[in-house]
């Protein structure tokens, strides 16, 4: 009987029906509303975050490039027409009708006719007039100073005693272009060499960070960029982009104005004249015209020379001055640097072969018995030219089969190429009492 009772209980447990829990419609409705609110909040937050991050994401994924910089090049002045001989002058003068004049009898004075220009009255200049002239010159410099900035290169490290230190090198910089994304500033590489930080101080003392774009290892000039987004609107209103003038028109005796840091103090203004415009300095792969002045400067001076229109005609680079000229301002012709400045502004590397050269003119060829072409004065160590086998005293006659007879032609042929391009240089090398033709393949490099 006891066994049967247990079987009935087990049977009753197996047959037990489990009823579903009744649905709580109110709780379901509240949960649905809660989930909907969470979705709305999440969507609004996501949209807000995406809107805020969109400019930064686009800048990171698709960085905008500033427009390419184009600097108009200057043409070399044409040679003046030959002077006419005296006979031609006399014939010309005989064809010009004389202007009628009335002569008063008994008086040597000539009364000009109605069409004659008014007589020029000479007046003696007073000291006030000289001061007024000086003021006008300084006004040109003050206006041009809106293009001047102070470039600071900050270098940090530790000394022998493991003590942290920080060095700051300062020099003048010139605003040369606005490409829509950055202000481009021309300065010297030596100021920012090995700098961990580059700072720009504008004329209103506003300081911002900058970055190096490109530099030329030959001349030592560099272009740095400052994002327009980092420059306050009030500061931008006080700045101006410098105008690069035509330095081919500069001659001995031309009045110029030095701005920048010619004496080591920024925003200085010095006036003077060009004492020489015919000097040439031999640099790597090309030569440049050097202007000397009577303007007192320091050996570490920097800045630019202006003409009386306020245009830049010379870039102050004291490294290219003679030892005797270190106390006066020396500048390179800006017209000859425009192509390099343009390419540095557009992030293009300057081609490098590594030769110091000079043109073999007809007179030199006849006097020394050297073939016409480009004479190699020296070959730079560790240069592409040295690796290719070019030597001192070789005479270059052609590049890639095209004849070259001057340094200017050589530089144009080289400058058309890019680093890693290979060119064929044809030379004449002295062999006993004569010259033999040889060819060398040279891989273009980049000077650092």
């Amino acid at each position: 009987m006891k066994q049967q009772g247990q079987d009935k209980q087990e049977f009753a447990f197996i047959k037990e029906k489990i009823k579903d829990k009744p649905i709580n419609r109110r709780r379901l409705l509240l949960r649905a509303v809660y989930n909907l609110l969470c979705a709305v909040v999440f969507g609004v937050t996501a949209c807000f975050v995406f809107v805020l991050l969109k400019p930064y994401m686009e800048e990171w994924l698709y960085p905008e490039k500033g427009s390419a910089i184009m600097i108009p090049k200057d043409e070399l002045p044409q040679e003046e027409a030959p002077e006419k001989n005296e006979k031609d002058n006399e014939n010309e003068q005989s064809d010009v009708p004389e202007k009628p004049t009335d002569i008063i009898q008994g008086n040597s004075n000539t009364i000009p006719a109605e069409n004659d220009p008014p007589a020029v009255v000479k007046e003696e200049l007073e000291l006030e007039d000289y001061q007024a002239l000086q003021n006008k010159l300084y006004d040109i410099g003050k206006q041009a100073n809106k293009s001047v900035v102070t470039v600071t290169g900050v270098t940090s490290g530790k000394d022998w005693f493991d003590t942290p230190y920080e060095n700051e090198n300062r020099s003048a910089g010139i605003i040369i272009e606005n490409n829509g994304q950055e202000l481009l500033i021309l300065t010297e590489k030596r100021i920012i060499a090995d700098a961990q930080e580059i700072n720009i101080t504008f004329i209103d003392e506003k300081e911002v960070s900058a970055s190096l774009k490109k530099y030329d290892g030959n001349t030592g000039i560099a272009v740095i960029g400052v994002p327009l987004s980092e420059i306050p609107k009030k500061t931008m209103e006080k700045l101006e982009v410098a105008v690069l003038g035509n330095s081919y028109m500069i001659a001995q005796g031309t009045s110029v104005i030095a701005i920048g840091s010619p004496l080591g103090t920024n925003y200085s203004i010095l006036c003077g004249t060009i004492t020489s415009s015919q000097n040439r300095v031999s640099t790597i792969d090309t030569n440049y015209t050097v202007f000397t002045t009577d303007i007192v400067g320091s050996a570490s001076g920097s800045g630019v020379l202006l003409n009386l229109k306020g245009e830049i005609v010379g870039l102050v680079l004291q490294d290219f001055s003679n030892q005797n000229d270190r106390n006066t301002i020396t500048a390179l012709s800006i017209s000859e640097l425009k192509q390099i400045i343009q390419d540095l502004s557009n992030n293009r590397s300057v081609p490098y072969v590594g030769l110091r050269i000079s043109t073999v003119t007809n007179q030199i060829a006849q006097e020394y018995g050297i073939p016409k072409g480009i004479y190699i004065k020296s070959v730079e160590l560790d240069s592409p030219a040295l690796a290719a086998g070019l030597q001192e005293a070789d005479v270059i006659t052609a590049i890639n089969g095209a004849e070259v007879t001057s340094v200017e032609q050589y530089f144009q042929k080289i400058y058309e190429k890019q680093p890693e391009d290979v060119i064929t240089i044809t030379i004449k090398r002295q062999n006993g009492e004569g010259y033999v033709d040889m060819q060398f393949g040279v891989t273009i490099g980049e000077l650092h």
Side-chain angles (χ1 to χ4, degrees):
M1 294 296 293
K2 187 176 180 181
Q3 182 68 29
Q4 290 180 353
Q6 290 178 354
D7 293 339
K8 288 182 179 180
Q9 288 178 1
E10 291 177 1
F11 180 79
F13 173 76
I14 294 172
K15 293 295 185 178
E16 183 179 358
K17 293 183 178 180
I18 301 174
K19 295 183 177 180
D20 295 333
K21 187 177 181 180
I23 299 175
N24 191 335
R25 298 180 181 276
R26 184 170 179 275
R27 180 175 295 178
L28 286 178
L29 180 61
L30 289 175
R31 181 172 295 178
V33 172
Y34 174 78
N35 291 337
L36 180 62
L37 288 176
C38 289
V40 171
V41 171
F42 176 79
V44 172
T45 304
C47 290
F48 183 72
V49 171
F50 287 149
V51 169
L52 287 180
L53 293 181
K54 182 181 178 181
Y56 302 99
M57 295 296 291
E58 288 181 346
E59 183 178 353
W60 179 56
L61 295 174
Y62 310 103
E64 295 185 11
K65 295 182 178 180
S67 57
I69 303 304
M70 296 296 296
I71 300 177
K73 306 305 180 292
D74 302 320
E75 297 293 335
L76 285 168
Q78 297 180 353
E79 294 183 2
E80 296 181 359
E83 296 182 0
K84 299 179 179 180
N85 56 37
E86 295 181 1
K87 188 175 182 180
D88 293 335
N89 290 336
E90 289 176 1
N91 292 337
E92 270 193 12
Q93 291 174 1
S94 63
D95 295 335
V96 180
E98 295 183 359
K99 294 181 180 180
T101 55
D102 296 329
I103 306 297
I104 300 178
Q105 298 293 334
N107 192 336
S108 61
N109 293 331
T110 301
I111 302 176
E114 292 181 358
N115 294 332
D116 282 353
V120 178
V121 180
K122 295 183 178 180
E123 294 184 1
E124 185 177 351
L125 292 177
E126 301 294 337
L127 293 177
E128 291 79 6
D129 298 322
Y130 176 78
Q131 185 62 56
L133 181 61
Q134 285 287 95
N135 292 341
K136 288 186 176 182
L137 293 174
Y138 275 80
D139 287 341
I140 297 172
K142 290 176 182 178
Q143 183 67 23
N145 268 339
K146 294 181 180 180
S147 305
V148 177
V149 301
T150 302
V151 180
T152 304
V154 181
T155 306
S156 58
K158 292 185 178 181
D159 59 18
W160 290 100
F161 302 100
D162 205 30
T163 304
Y165 69 88
E166 191 173 87
N167 287 333
E168 292 186 353
N169 296 319
R170 291 186 176 86
S171 181
I174 305 296
I175 302 173
I176 55 171
E177 196 56 73
N178 179 346
N179 67 2
Q181 297 294 320
E182 297 174 304
L183 274 187
L184 302 180
I185 296 170
L186 185 67
T187 188
E188 293 187 67
K189 175 64 167 59
R190 61 181 177 86
I191 301 302
I192 53 178
D194 304 322
Q196 285 85 32
E197 183 181 344
I198 303 174
N199 296 323
I200 302 296
T201 306
F202 295 106
I203 194 171
D204 64 349
E205 300 300 327
K206 176 62 180 179
E207 185 174 313
V208 297
S209 297
S211 60
L212 174 66
K213 296 183 72 67
K214 280 287 184 179
Y215 68 92
D216 176 27
N218 184 23
T219 59
I221 62 176
V223 172
I224 55 181
V226 179
L228 296 179
S229 58
E230 301 295 324
I231 307 174
K233 183 178 179 181
K234 290 183 178 179
T235 300
M236 284 294 298
E237 293 173 351
K238 299 177 181 179
L239 306 179
E240 285 190 3
V241 174
V243 178
L244 305 184
N246 186 353
S247 58
Y248 292 136
M249 308 305 295
I250 298 299
Q252 189 177 33
T254 302
S255 296
V256 289
I257 303 166
I259 64 170
S261 181
L263 283 172
T265 303
N266 219 5
Y267 301 105
S268 302
I269 302 174
L270 303 175
C271 303
T273 56
I274 298 291
T275 57
S276 175
S277 62
Q278 301 298 321
N279 293 334
R280 299 284 289 176
V281 60
S282 178
T283 66
I284 301 174
D285 294 327
T286 190
N287 298 331
Y288 290 108
T289 299
V290 177
F291 298 139
T292 59
T293 71
D294 59 2
I295 303 175
V296 176
S298 68
S300 59
S302 62
V304 293
L305 292 182
L306 309 174
N307 59 18
L308 297 186
K309 296 180 181 179
E311 301 168 339
I312 296 177
V313 293
L315 185 61
V316 176
L317 295 171
Q318 294 293 77
D319 290 342
F320 291 95
S321 63
N322 294 327
Q323 198 65 31
N324 297 331
D325 296 330
R326 288 300 177 94
N327 293 329
T328 55
I329 293 298
T330 300
L332 295 188
S333 166
I334 198 68
S335 293
E336 298 174 2
L337 292 170
K338 284 185 177 181
Q339 182 65 55
I340 290 179
I341 295 173
Q342 173 180 300
D343 289 342
L344 294 179
S345 301
N346 292 323
N347 277 322
R348 180 179 183 268
S349 300
V350 178
Y352 166 64
V353 173
L355 298 175
R356 292 186 183 269
I357 52 182
S358 62
T359 301
V360 180
T361 62
N362 289 327
Q363 181 181 353
I364 293 175
Q366 293 174 4
E367 186 174 350
Y368 296 98
I370 301 175
K372 281 204 64 178
I374 301 156
Y375 184 81
I376 298 179
K377 298 192 294 185
S378 64
V379 182
E380 296 293 305
L381 294 176
D382 299 324
S383 65
L386 185 66
L390 292 171
Q391 298 177 8
E392 182 181 336
D394 288 344
V395 179
I396 300 173
T397 58
I399 295 178
N400 287 340
E403 183 184 21
V404 289
T405 58
S406 67
V407 173
E408 289 74 22
Q409 290 179 351
Y410 165 88
F411 181 68
Q412 289 174 2
K413 294 291 184 182
I414 297 299
Y415 210 83
E416 293 171 356
K417 306 301 179 181
Q418 299 284 349
E420 303 303 326
D421 287 348
V422 179
I423 60 172
T424 300
I425 296 182
T426 303
I427 67 161
K428 287 184 178 293
R429 177 172 293 175
Q430 193 167 19
N431 183 13
E433 296 182 357
Y435 283 84
V436 294
D437 291 328
M438 301 179 69
Q439 288 187 341
F440 296 89
V442 180
T443 302
I444 302 294
E446 180 180 0
L447 183 61
H448 295 285

